[in-house]
Amino acid sequence: MTDIKVIIPAYNEAESIAEVIKDIPDSVSEIIVVNNNSSDRTEENARAAGATVLIENRKGYGYACLKGMEYIAKQSKPPQIIVFIDGDYSDFPQELNKVVAPILEDDKDLVIGARVEQLREKGSMTPQQVFGNWLATALMRVLFGATFTDLGPFRAIKYDKLLTLEMEDKTYGWTVEMQLKALKNKLAYTEVPVRYKKRIGLSKVSGTVKGSIFAGIKILGWIFKYSFK
């Protein structure tokens, strides 16, 4: 049986985190919630729902993901697949098996859950998110010949391939860094369409002007950095 572990970065997701954990399929061996300096009951609710909870007080999506990877690296037996998903319940965790299927069935290295328009709840993505995804993936298509259409956070990757990427971004650039490095390392990748709904609570990135600007700068920074390599 394939060993699949899930990493969920979580900052003030007390209202949603248990729902996310509950809907993750039994095919997963461990659910790892990284409490990223929350001021609410995210940690307590995640533990009560059965997740392993790690603490990362340095705020940043990438910091939280790296903490989860650091924990897994210390385990005696590494998993075959790592799945990343947000803790805000905007994705449908029950679609996890659909996201990992191309790895298991077609030997893909990386699978992105693409939030296609026809499967998105109206208003689930802000105009700046839609535009940002379009711009980033269009630039990757022009500069690198990529076929990505989304920077969706719901994604699966072979653990050994993830290690070869040497991920380093600490904040908003984590997703695009992974995709750019997958291109550079010639990983076999694909996308699968996934459903997407309005998140529980306010987004820390797209829900604020500051967050949207910083995320946009970070994402474009990674793309242009790699265009000169």
Side-chain angles (χ1 to χ4, degrees):
M1 184 174 174
T2 305
D3 188 2
I4 303 171
K5 293 185 185 289
V6 176
I7 295 176
I8 308 175
Y11 170 60
N12 287 346
E13 306 290 7
E15 294 179 36
S16 56
I17 195 64
E19 296 297 322
V20 176
I21 294 166
K22 174 178 65 70
D23 285 353
I24 291 175
D26 293 338
S27 54
V28 167
S29 65
E30 186 175 19
I31 300 169
I32 302 157
V33 172
V34 185
N35 182 30
N36 195 206
N37 205 31
S38 298
S39 58
D40 62 5
R41 293 183 59 83
T42 296
E43 178 182 351
E44 297 92 320
N45 293 353
R47 288 190 198 281
T52 298
V53 179
L54 310 178
I55 307 300
E56 175 52 79
N57 290 324
R58 293 170 295 181
K59 286 176 68 172
Y61 188 89
Y63 271 124
C65 293
L66 289 167
K67 174 67 77 170
M69 289 176 59
E70 179 185 304
Y71 164 78
I72 290 171
K74 294 176 181 175
Q75 297 181 334
S76 57
K77 184 183 176 186
Q80 279 92 23
I81 297 172
I82 300 293
V83 173
F84 294 92
I85 189 170
D86 282 354
D88 60 13
Y89 208 40
S90 54
D91 293 296
F92 287 76
Q94 54 267 58
E95 292 190 313
L96 182 144
N97 291 333
K98 175 183 176 181
V99 174
V100 302
I103 297 177
L104 300 176
E105 298 169 9
D106 303 321
D107 201 31
K108 296 297 185 184
D109 299 317
L110 170 66
V111 184
I112 306 296
R115 301 165 292 183
V116 295
E117 185 177 3
Q118 57 266 40
L119 296 180
R120 289 198 310 258
E121 180 184 356
K122 188 175 181 180
S124 59
M125 288 181 70
T126 63
Q128 59 264 37
Q129 278 181 294
V130 174
F131 175 76
N133 269 285
W134 172 82
L135 178 60
T137 54
L139 286 170
M140 283 195 280
R141 185 164 56 252
V142 171
L143 296 172
F144 310 109
T147 58
F148 292 118
T149 64
D150 194 11
L151 306 178
F154 192 8
R155 54 185 58 204
I157 185 169
K158 290 179 180 175
Y159 180 62
D160 59 343
K161 299 298 184 182
L162 176 60
L163 294 181
T164 67
L165 300 185
E166 299 181 342
M167 296 291 294
E168 59 187 274
D169 193 90
K170 310 299 192 301
T171 56
Y172 304 118
W174 175 271
T175 55
V176 73
E177 178 195 2
M178 184 182 295
Q179 286 164 253
L180 288 167
K181 287 184 171 180
L183 295 170
K184 181 186 177 186
N185 287 271
K186 295 182 168 51
L187 298 194
Y189 69 89
T190 191
E191 293 182 335
V192 295
V194 294
R195 293 176 291 162
Y196 198 69
K197 60 184 180 294
K198 292 179 183 176
R199 58 159 292 140
I200 294 176
L202 177 69
S203 171
K204 290 78 181 175
V205 180
S206 60
T208 66
V209 173
K210 179 182 176 183
S212 298
I213 291 172
F214 276 108
I217 290 171
K218 202 69 184 285
I219 289 167
L220 293 176
W222 270 106
I223 291 173
F224 289 119
K225 173 183 174 181
Y226 266 74
S227 69
F228 292 106
K229 287 198 171 187

